[in-house]
Amino acid sequence: MIRNVIAVIVMSSILIGCSPTVKVQAPSEPININLNVKIDHEINIKVDKALDNIINKSGLY
């Protein structure tokens, strides 16, 4: 009986000693994200010759 109790105590202490520990800590330095972004755009407008003449005559270009 005593042997069983001692065996349980020894086994439980071994299991407790092997349990993993997880530590959650904030980083000591701030997180920097560098983005190099280049945005190019091109707009193409196709206009009828008749409509182009009207726009040119009215001065709306």
Side-chain angles (χ1 to χ4, degrees), residues 4-29:
N4 290 341
V5 173
I6 292 173
V8 169
I9 291 173
V10 169
M11 291 301 283
S12 63
S13 65
I14 290 173
L15 290 176
I16 291 172
C18 293
S19 65
T21 57
V22 177
K23 294 181 181 180
V24 179
Q25 294 178 342
S28 60
E29 297 177 5

Side-chain angles (χ1 to χ4, degrees), residues 30-48:
I31 298 172
N32 293 323
I33 300 173
N34 296 323
L35 298 176
N36 295 323
V37 179
K38 182 179 180 181
I39 299 174
D40 290 329
H41 65 279
E42 184 176 321
I43 300 172
N44 295 323
I45 300 174
K46 293 182 180 180
V47 181
D48 257 6

